[in-house]
Amino acid sequence: MRILIILAWLVALPTAANEQRITNGSGHYTYSSGAGQQQTRLKVYYHKPDSFAPSSPVLLVLPGAGRNAWDYRDAWKAASEKYGVLVISPHYAEERYPEFWNYNIAGMLTNVTINETRTGFASYEITQDPQQWLFKDFDGVFLDARKRFGVDADNYDMFGHSAGGQIIHRFALFGTSGHANRLVAANAGWYTLPDFDVMFPFGLKESPLSEKALRKAFSRNLVVFLGELDNADETRGHLARNDKLDVQGLHRFSRGRYFYRESKAIAEGIDADFAWQKIHVPGVGHNYRRMSEKAAQYLYTPRNQEHSRQEPE
């Protein structure tokens, strides 16, 4: 009897084959790409709506600093079913990406040391090789999902909140995606300004970006998505503070407005087309579930603007 119980327990354990099987509803699978040091292996959490069809839109969701892709996937379940959107959320586990610069700054820094003063970084090097950045993964995750789920779409949207929002606005600046469409960066803690006079990662000085590439970045569909209550009274989440960052503002809402305002002025200064948008979300603070709900309304019911509004500076 004991042997039979143990065998039954072993049979019940999840297997790699079970993990890879795609069904309606929620699940996960492993995405693998590259080889050697360039290899990427990510667990991807998904929700496939009952109304799924090959024509369904695809949304790639990047979680905050908690790396809890399963929770962010769950935050989009209702919207997935309502709007017929396939949701995929890659998990960048802390075991492999242990520090904030591995995730928030997308692996664009290396050999980092942190000091205890208000300047933050004691020393670091800028990773010049784009194959070492997280941005290289996003199109691969999408193209892999397109095959797994039988999707016809040639592009995908992105949503990221907090640390995920940091990644997405940097992706708009430095990414070279051929498939990413609308990039919603929600409630980022701080920003890389498109300013060649400010040292990276706070600006673009000594970064691999050229003015030609910056012009292209300004033409991307970036949406700076800001909860109006993510202000000085907000206590959720960790807000980095130092002399370099406080120039942008003293809370996430003010920093987002500063980033957009400065970016627009820089684009005008070099006579570049500027396609970025800034959306204020009233009544919401640093809450990824509420921001996910509002982003779904913004993305997939474009004529319904009652829950968010574009604010002029």
Side-chain angles (χ1 to χ4, degrees):
M1 178 65 71
R2 184 177 180 184
I3 293 175
L4 290 175
I5 293 173
I6 292 174
L7 287 174
W9 176 74
L10 289 172
V11 169
L13 286 175
T15 65
N18 288 337
E19 180 190 79
Q20 304 297 322
R21 188 172 61 243
I22 299 298
T23 62
N24 281 8
S26 295
H28 64 269
Y29 57 85
T30 299
Y31 163 76
S32 181
S33 176
Q37 291 185 345
Q38 300 298 329
Q39 185 181 47
T40 296
R41 286 183 61 83
L42 297 171
K43 188 169 286 187
V44 179
Y45 291 82
Y46 72 85
H47 188 80
K48 179 184 177 185
D50 288 339
S51 62
F52 176 81
S55 59
S56 293
V58 180
L59 176 74
L60 193 153
V61 176
L62 294 179
R67 321 293 182 88
N68 48 332
W70 48 92
D71 289 328
Y72 274 73
R73 181 270 317 272
D74 290 349
W76 278 85
K77 276 185 181 181
S80 172
E81 295 292 345
K82 181 176 182 178
Y83 302 111
V85 180
L86 173 64
V87 175
I88 53 177
S89 184
H91 175 219
Y92 287 90
E94 288 183 299
E95 291 78 9
R96 184 167 182 181
Y97 307 89
E99 306 294 347
F100 75 86
W101 55 87
N102 303 139
Y103 187 61
N104 304 32
I105 310 180
M108 297 187 73
L109 298 182
T110 189
N111 296 327
V112 177
T113 57
I114 300 294
N115 61 29
E116 300 301 324
T117 71
R118 296 268 298 163
T119 57
F121 294 110
S123 63
Y124 57 90
E125 297 175 15
I126 300 171
T127 307
Q128 300 289 330
D129 180 8
Q131 291 303 308
Q132 300 293 331
W133 306 342
L134 300 190
F135 309 139
K136 74 183 190 309
D137 298 336
F138 304 150
D139 274 9
V141 170
F142 164 69
L143 292 172
D144 175 76
R146 192 167 67 172
K147 291 179 181 179
R148 289 178 186 268
F149 293 92
V151 173
D152 290 339
D154 194 47
N155 56 54
Y156 60 100
D157 299 320
M158 294 186 72
F159 169 84
H161 182 262
S162 197
Q166 289 196 41
I167 296 170
I168 285 182
H169 93 272
R170 294 185 177 107
F171 181 50
L173 286 168
F174 295 95
T176 56
S177 169
H179 299 278
N181 183 15
R182 294 174 294 183
L183 311 175
V184 181
N187 290 348
W190 60 280
Y191 297 83
T192 295
L193 298 173
D195 187 339
F196 288 104
D197 292 328
V198 179
M199 187 68 184
F200 186 81
F202 310 107
L204 298 180
K205 186 176 181 180
E206 297 191 16
S207 79
L209 201 72
S210 66
E211 182 176 312
K212 180 179 179 180
L214 178 60
R215 288 176 176 274
K216 185 173 182 180
F218 281 142
S219 70
R220 294 194 173 107
N221 294 326
L222 175 65
V223 182
V224 183
F225 208 64
L226 304 175
E228 291 182 346
L229 298 185
D230 204 349
N231 53 29
D233 297 324
E234 181 60 89
T235 58
R236 287 168 292 191
H238 171 72
L239 182 66
R241 295 285 307 277
N242 62 53
D243 292 342
K244 301 286 188 182
L245 299 181
D246 287 355
V247 171
Q248 301 180 13
L250 301 183
H251 48 80
R252 297 180 192 89
F253 184 57
S254 63
R255 288 179 179 182
R257 296 180 69 194
Y258 178 87
F259 169 71
Y260 179 82
R261 183 173 63 249
E262 292 296 306
S263 298
K264 186 176 182 180
I266 291 168
E268 290 173 351
I270 61 173
D271 196 27
D273 292 335
F274 187 71
W276 296 1
Q277 298 182 67
K278 177 174 60 66
I279 301 296
H280 291 186
V281 183
V284 182
H286 201 65
N287 184 321
Y288 72 88
R289 293 185 180 276
R290 293 287 310 283
M291 291 296 282
S292 296
E293 174 189 340
K294 302 303 184 185
Q297 294 166 353
Y298 171 76
L299 287 170
Y300 302 113
T301 57
R303 295 181 181 178
N304 179 9
Q305 297 297 321
E306 63 191 62
H307 298 287
S308 60
R309 54 179 180 260
Q310 185 167 0
E311 291 288 339
E313 286 297 345

